Amino acid sequence: MPIIIVNQSRYIRHWVDTLKAKRPDLDVRVYPDAGAPEEIEFALAWNHPLGAFQEFPNLKCIASTGAGVDHILRDPDLPAQVQITRIVDENLTHDMATFVTALVLNHVRDLDGYKEAQRERTWAQKRYLRTQDLGIGVMGLGVLGSYTALQLRKLGFRVQGWAKSPKVLEDIGTYAGPEELDAFLASSRILVCLLPLTPETANILNKETFQKLPKDAFIINVARGEHLVEQDLIEMLDDGHLSGASLDVFREEPLPENHPFWSHPRINVTPHIASVTNPESAVEQILENYDRLQKKEPLLNVVSRTKGY
Ligand code: GLV
């Protein structure tokens, strides 16, 4: 049974080489060179051309090469019978937590401000907040969100989380559903978005949400660009309610050269690198599911198509 890689943007060669290194006899194909379409049952996907999967009448599994599956589910022509899986990987989880921690600490200790002062040869000591003085709110308490929240808690921050349904996490206050969103926002001085992108969470980082945060709140979006209403962020930064934002994901990626985020003094831009799947580390679970599919066993890390994660 072949594996087909359907990927418009990411590391195709790396995936082919890694799969081949693990299983030299594996028949790895790269879309659009699919060979006989009826032979294809297992696809590895990232940002596929919409409608592409309709070409494979016997397709049974689409495996996302990342943690998110929104790039698959946005396809209106997804075959109904196909199971969708995602990557759940310790390295991916750890990398996300360390990246968010870096952004949080960079903000709290104003390292960018000191870099600027250095450029001007200015010795200016500023007062700073301690970790325990700051409430961090993590939106999304799935694998990435809950681990990140726990790591921030270990550093001494007051951490709280918000999710669609109630979650219990040690030493972390949790809130659930739209009815508890306002209470969660009111004490989130730093707001971290790690939500899955679904119709319910799209545009959740908007003016109304921002207004419910304490003054000088700081926004970190490491989930998806579509969570953020871009103009609302700029307005709330410019009117002084928000103190800044670190954004790793954007509605359009790469971020267009003329986009106002690039030059905004209080926005930090990184190019969707918070946590990137390393094929070496994720290949085992892909092959495990490939084997399971052949043996007609239940697959790992299957996502719910109705929930969207
Ligand atoms: C990255 O954005 C992922 O979903 O893994």
Side-chain angles (χ1 to χ4, degrees):
M1 176 175 93
I3 287 188
I4 189 159
I5 300 180
V6 188
N7 181 328
Q8 292 189 109
S9 51
R10 274 192 181 189
Y11 319 115
I12 298 180
R13 198 69 249 161
H14 197 169
W15 274 106
V16 174
D17 292 347
T18 312
L19 286 163
K20 290 299 246 180
K22 282 273 164 202
R23 299 252 176 116
D25 296 336
L26 193 65
D27 178 0
V28 183
R29 303 182 187 175
V30 176
Y31 187 85
D33 296 326
E38 63 282 357
E39 287 174 6
I40 305 292
E41 294 180 37
F42 193 100
L44 204 50
W46 186 268
N47 192 17
H48 67 281
L50 297 184
F53 294 124
Q54 282 195 320
E55 296 172 32
F56 309 121
N58 296 318
L59 187 65
K60 297 195 173 57
C61 173
I62 303 172
S64 169
T65 58
V69 291
D70 49 289
H71 58 101
I72 297 173
L73 296 178
R74 76 195 161 97
D75 187 343
D77 297 318
L78 222 47
Q81 78 286 359
V82 173
Q83 295 193 77
I84 295 160
T85 64
R86 71 192 202 100
I87 298 291
V88 177
D89 173 61
E90 263 179 25
N91 291 322
L92 201 62
T93 311
H94 178 79
D95 292 354
M96 181 57 85
T98 51
F99 188 72
V100 171
T101 303
L103 296 178
V104 165
L105 293 174
N106 183 46
H107 169 63
V108 172
R109 299 307 305 268
D110 193 19
L111 298 183
D112 289 340
Y114 285 113
K115 192 73 207 167
E116 225 171 282
Q118 181 184 346
R119 258 182 241 120
E120 288 156 17
R121 298 174 180 257
T122 305
W123 182 271
Q125 297 174 330
K126 286 179 262 184
R127 293 190 58 183
Y128 57 87
L129 291 168
R130 295 220 142 76
T131 58
Q132 60 270 31
D133 300 327
L134 267 169
I136 302 184
V138 178
M139 302 180 98
L141 296 174
V143 176
L144 300 180
S146 49
Y147 183 79
T148 300
L150 288 164
Q151 294 306 306
L152 290 167
R153 179 70 199 114
K154 281 190 192 157
L155 285 174
F157 290 102
R158 283 188 283 111
V159 183
Q160 46 182 8
W162 179 80
K164 185 173 170 175
S165 49
K167 296 268 159 59
V168 180
L169 286 178
E170 198 183 335
D171 221 8
I172 289 177
T174 52
Y175 298 78
E179 52 298 334
E180 291 181 9
L181 182 60
D182 290 8
F184 162 82
L185 294 172
S187 42
S188 296
R189 187 47 186 68
I190 297 178
L191 185 68
V192 179
C193 180
L194 268 167
L195 287 163
L197 179 65
T198 68
E200 281 156 314
T201 66
N203 303 318
I204 195 164
L205 300 177
N206 58 37
K207 195 164 182 172
E208 209 185 320
T209 300
F210 296 148
Q211 277 165 337
K212 291 172 183 159
L213 294 167
K215 171 138 175 48
D216 290 332
F218 186 82
I219 309 298
I220 294 178
N221 188 16
V222 280
R224 286 290 180 263
E226 291 86 345
H227 286 121
L228 174 67
V229 181
E230 298 185 338
Q231 193 48 38
D232 287 4
L233 175 69
I234 293 182
E235 271 176 41
M236 295 301 277
L237 285 169
D238 292 351
D239 95 347
H241 183 66
L242 297 177
S243 60
S246 278
L247 308 175
D248 185 56
V249 287
F250 303 91
R251 283 179 184 266
E252 189 180 345
E253 296 182 4
L255 187 64
E257 217 178 286
N258 59 355
H259 196 287
F261 285 171
W262 282 117
S263 54
H264 197 287
R266 282 184 288 139
I267 294 179
N268 291 330
V269 169
T270 48
H272 202 145
I273 43 69
S275 180
V276 179
T277 308
N278 178 352
E280 274 86 12
S281 141
V283 71
E284 292 291 358
Q285 61 187 274
I286 297 290
L287 290 172
E288 171 72 30
N289 269 346
Y290 169 86
D291 292 340
R292 283 170 176 249
L293 188 70
Q294 280 183 312
K295 290 187 267 176
K296 299 197 171 24
E297 288 174 6
L299 303 185
L300 305 176
N301 304 321
V302 176
V303 300
S304 152
R305 283 171 75 157
T306 40
K307 281 209 240 162
Y309 56 90

